[in-house]
Amino acid sequence: MISAIAAGGKGLTGGLVAIAVVALFFGLGSWALMRITQDKPQVAMTAGMLVYVVQILLIGVFIVAFSGTTLFNGRAFGFTLLFTALAWVGGQIRQTLTSRMLYVDPEPSVPPQEEATPVKTGSPDGV
């Protein structure tokens, strides 16, 4: 890892912690988004934005909570966190753009009605 080369053992620890934080927060966010939109696909955009904002806020809280730590290199942690989060979001964007999701049903959900033959009835005027 680049952070291990740049900052030694504490840089490696910071990079690994950053990868774990991104994997945990973004993985849980993806799981939550799938659960929220499973029954209500019409709320996907709103739920996606809410989940993303919560993820960024939690990462911010984590950064502030560990800003003065000596357990790992903060700069290596920050850069690894940034690049890993951008890679995750970029992968999600690529997957969304390249997936072939149907937006219409290829088969109707209701079977087609057979054409009824016209029934000859007498006209009201007796003709």
Side-chain angles (χ1 to χ4, degrees), residues 2 5 18 30 59 67 92 105 107:
I2 296 172
I5 296 169
S30 293
I59 287 174
S67 64
Q92 285 184 324
D105 287 332
E107 297 178 19

Side-chain angles (χ1 to χ4, degrees), residues 10-28:
K10 291 198 180 226
L12 176 63
T13 305
L16 292 175
V17 169
I19 291 171
V21 167
V22 169
L24 178 71
F25 290 160
F26 281 75
L28 287 175

Side-chain angles (χ1 to χ4, degrees), residues 9-11 13-14 65-74:
K10 291 198 180 226
T13 305
F66 287 94
S67 64
T69 188
T70 57
L71 297 173
F72 51 81
N73 184 300

Side-chain angles (χ1 to χ4, degrees), residues 29-44:
S30 293
W31 175 81
L33 188 60
M34 286 189 312
R35 295 282 295 161
I36 292 169
T37 61
Q38 184 177 8
D39 297 332
K40 301 175 198 132
Q42 65 271 17
V43 300

Side-chain angles (χ1 to χ4, degrees), residues 29-107:
S30 293
W31 175 81
L33 188 60
M34 286 189 312
R35 295 282 295 161
I36 292 169
T37 61
Q38 184 177 8
D39 297 332
K40 301 175 198 132
Q42 65 271 17
V43 300
M45 180 61 86
T46 305
M49 292 303 294
L50 178 65
V51 166
Y52 184 70
V53 167
V54 169
Q55 288 170 340
I56 297 303
L57 287 174
L58 287 175
I59 287 174
V61 167
F62 192 87
I63 289 171
V64 169
F66 287 94
S67 64
T69 188
T70 57
L71 297 173
F72 51 81
N73 184 300
R75 184 171 293 216
F77 170 76
F79 282 124
T80 305
L81 185 88
L82 176 67
F83 291 131
T84 309
L86 289 175
W88 183 288
V89 172
Q92 285 184 324
I93 290 171
R94 185 177 189 287
Q95 188 273 333
T96 301
L97 292 176
T98 58
S99 67
R100 297 180 182 252
M101 294 178 17
L102 298 174
Y103 55 92
V104 294
D105 287 332
E107 297 178 19

